[in-house]
Amino acid sequence: YARLLDRGPWLLYDNEEDPHQLDNKIDNPEYHDVRERLENRLEELLSEANDPGATQRIREYRESRRPTN
């Protein structure tokens, strides 16, 4: 899992099924829960490290990518 704020989409690969990382799963609905879990954990780690990171920009980017029903 990787976040690229200024250089394109977020990255999420299934390294067991796709060891060459050719199929980005970030927008795949089947991986939604995995993406959310990893994002939440990353925010926890940033908080524990007292590192504000770019959390507001990250949240805004996430919201902009959510599908509207």
Side-chain angles (χ1 to χ4, degrees), residues 2 9-10 13 18 20-21 46-47 49 63 65:
W10 295 1
Y13 297 104
D18 180 21
H20 300 292
Q21 298 184 339
L46 286 171
S47 178
E63 289 300 317
R65 303 217 4 119

Side-chain angles (χ1 to χ4, degrees), residues 16-57:
E16 291 180 3
E17 297 293 322
D18 180 21
H20 300 292
Q21 298 184 339
L22 301 174
D23 185 16
N24 186 1
K25 303 289 188 183
I26 199 66
D27 290 323
N28 183 325
E30 293 178 23
Y31 286 79
H32 178 267
D33 290 343
V34 172
R35 185 181 78 198
E36 290 293 314
R37 182 173 46 82
L38 291 171
E39 181 62 28
N40 290 336
R41 181 62 180 138
L42 183 55
E43 286 187 22
E44 288 173 6
L45 291 170
L46 286 171
S47 178
E48 289 172 15
N50 205 19
D51 181 349
T55 54
Q56 183 60 35
R57 285 178 52 204

